[in-house]
């Protein structure tokens, strides 16, 4: 039985070491889906997609909620926004807002 526990203990210890080097916050995890279209460094070749660099968190929050609630039309953003709670939108926006500073 002890032989089976040793590999598991090693995995758990490895995960704790890996996450202590860079603690990934929930907002960062959620924001990564935004960056795949809106750019990781705020520079985009596609003029139709708004870069999020230097975008205020309050504006991201209001726009995401407007997409989600149907008060702002969109091609894809209204569908993305429906998948997030208020808390998740705020976590994402606060992380993205920090990236521009």
């Amino acid at each position: 039985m002890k032989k089976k526990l040793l590999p598991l203990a090693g995995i758990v210890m490895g995960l704790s070491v890996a996450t202590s080097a860079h603690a990934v916050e929930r907002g960062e995890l959620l924001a990564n889906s935004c960056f795949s279209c809106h750019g990781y460094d705020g520079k985009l070749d596609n003029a139709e997609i708004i870069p999020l660099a230097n975008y205020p968190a309050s504006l991201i929050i209001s726009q995401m909620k407007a997409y989600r609630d149907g008060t702002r039309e969109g091609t894809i953003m209204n569908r993305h926004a429906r998948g997030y709670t208020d808390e998740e939108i705020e976590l994402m926006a606060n992380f993205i807002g920090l990236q521009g500073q």
Side-chain angles (χ1 to χ4, degrees):
M1 185 78 162
K2 287 185 181 181
K3 289 182 180 181
K4 291 181 182 179
L5 293 178
L6 288 176
L8 180 59
I11 291 169
V12 171
M13 287 175 53
L15 288 174
S16 65
V17 171
T19 56
S20 66
H22 174 72
V24 178
E25 296 179 17
R26 189 169 170 217
E28 181 177 1
L29 291 173
L30 292 165
N32 279 327
S33 66
C34 304
F35 295 144
S36 63
C37 293
H38 291 276
Y40 288 91
D41 58 1
K43 298 172 187 167
L44 296 172
D45 292 332
N46 186 338
E48 293 179 23
I49 298 175
I50 299 168
L52 296 178
N54 300 314
Y55 232 67
S58 60
L59 187 55
I60 295 170
I61 292 168
S62 67
Q63 296 306 300
M64 284 292 289
K65 288 181 180 181
Y67 280 125
R68 185 190 63 198
D69 300 339
T71 56
R72 180 172 180 183
E73 290 185 24
T75 54
I76 191 80
M77 284 305 303
N78 51 352
R79 288 178 264 167
H80 281 299
R82 284 188 206 126
Y84 296 110
T85 65
D86 284 348
E87 177 191 12
E88 290 169 331
I89 289 171
E90 290 168 16
L91 287 169
M92 271 189 292
N94 288 329
F95 181 80
I96 293 167
L98 294 174
Q99 299 308 301
Q101 297 176 356

